[in-house]
Amino acid sequence: MATFSAPATAPPPYTPDYPIRTERLDLRPIALDDFEAVHAYRFRPEVSRYLYSGPFDEAASRDFVASRSTRTTLRESGDGLQLAVVVRDSGTLVSDVTFLWKSSRQGRIGYVFHPGHAGHGYATEASRALLKLGFEELRLHRIQAELDGRNTASARLLERLGMRREGRLRENAFLDGEWSDEVIYAMLAREWRALQEGRGQ
């Protein structure tokens, strides 16, 4: 069964012990050499459809990899980790995920996955690792995720994680050429603990 100590009042500076390992995945900092693997899904229109940026051309993918490769440590409110998700057995990079920290003991998670690797549960496994990092390492009180209201696949993923749908902001974002609702999901630390105790961890 998992044990939980008292919450930290000021987690950063904090650098995870990389790679963050799950049953099948390694989450590690993005490297410049990841350009081709990241561009292989970031250039796809179907991947960017529900994101705040359009499909990446090669220059945008290179800029993304270069800028995100430095996001490895949380030092102050608003800092984030941008991590590559690698299938350990094959060494294949299938995603990049985001963890953002706020000084009010809150965090946010996000993810973008290669559609060619869908159906294996990698997105759920990697996202659960981010929740574990936030609740068990940083002792956060609340973690949330925002998504385009049309993105039903992402909503199902968050619900599998045990996150609650908290609200819907009507036509809050202009995405894919039209105004779209933004949906907010969240989880509290006590809800995370209850889930872990239910799983016998």
Side-chain angles (χ1 to χ4, degrees), residues 75-94:
R75 295 183 176 86
E76 60 185 26
S77 180
D79 281 354
L81 307 175
Q82 193 82 34
L83 307 177
V85 177
V86 179
V87 180
R88 188 177 306 117
D89 287 348
S90 65
T92 303
L93 190 157
V94 296

Side-chain angles (χ1 to χ4, degrees), residues 24-192:
R24 300 175 295 170
L25 306 173
D26 287 337
L27 280 63
R28 54 140 175 98
I30 287 179
L32 296 180
D33 289 346
D34 293 328
F35 160 71
E36 289 188 5
V38 170
H39 185 61
Y41 57 88
R42 284 277 182 174
F43 89 98
R44 295 170 178 254
E46 68 270 27
V47 170
S48 66
R49 180 183 180 193
Y50 300 125
L51 303 180
Y52 293 99
S53 59
F56 284 4
D57 59 17
E58 288 195 8
S61 290
R62 290 189 188 280
D63 287 346
F64 175 85
V65 169
S67 63
R68 298 317 193 269
S69 66
T70 63
R71 297 187 179 184
T72 60
T73 299
L74 302 175
R75 295 183 176 86
E76 60 185 26
S77 180
D79 281 354
L81 307 175
Q82 193 82 34
L83 307 177
V85 177
V86 179
V87 180
R88 188 177 306 117
D89 287 348
S90 65
T92 303
L93 190 157
V94 296
S95 165
D96 60 87
V97 296
T98 307
F99 181 91
L100 298 177
W101 179 78
K102 297 174 64 176
S103 59
S104 52
R105 288 182 55 209
Q106 298 191 48
R108 291 170 55 191
I109 62 171
Y111 40 80
V112 178
F113 274 79
H114 193 309
H117 298 283
H120 299 287
Y122 296 147
T124 302
E125 189 171 329
S127 298
R128 185 175 290 118
L130 296 182
L131 293 176
K132 181 177 181 180
L133 182 149
F135 288 126
E136 299 185 21
E137 297 294 324
L138 293 171
R139 309 300 176 188
L140 299 185
H141 173 67
R142 180 178 182 276
I143 297 175
Q144 77 175 45
E146 303 94 29
L147 65 150
D148 187 314
R150 302 167 297 178
N151 193 347
T152 56
S154 186
R156 288 194 298 269
L157 187 158
L158 297 174
E159 290 164 2
R160 284 196 299 273
L161 293 171
M163 300 183 79
R164 289 172 292 96
R165 177 170 160 169
E166 289 196 336
R168 190 180 191 97
L169 306 179
R170 302 295 295 179
E171 298 188 12
N172 187 58
F174 192 74
L175 300 172
D176 197 30
E178 62 181 305
W179 287 103
S180 176
D181 296 353
E182 186 174 49
V183 176
I184 299 172
Y185 279 80
M187 179 182 287
L188 300 176
R190 63 176 175 269
E191 295 169 328
W192 171 260

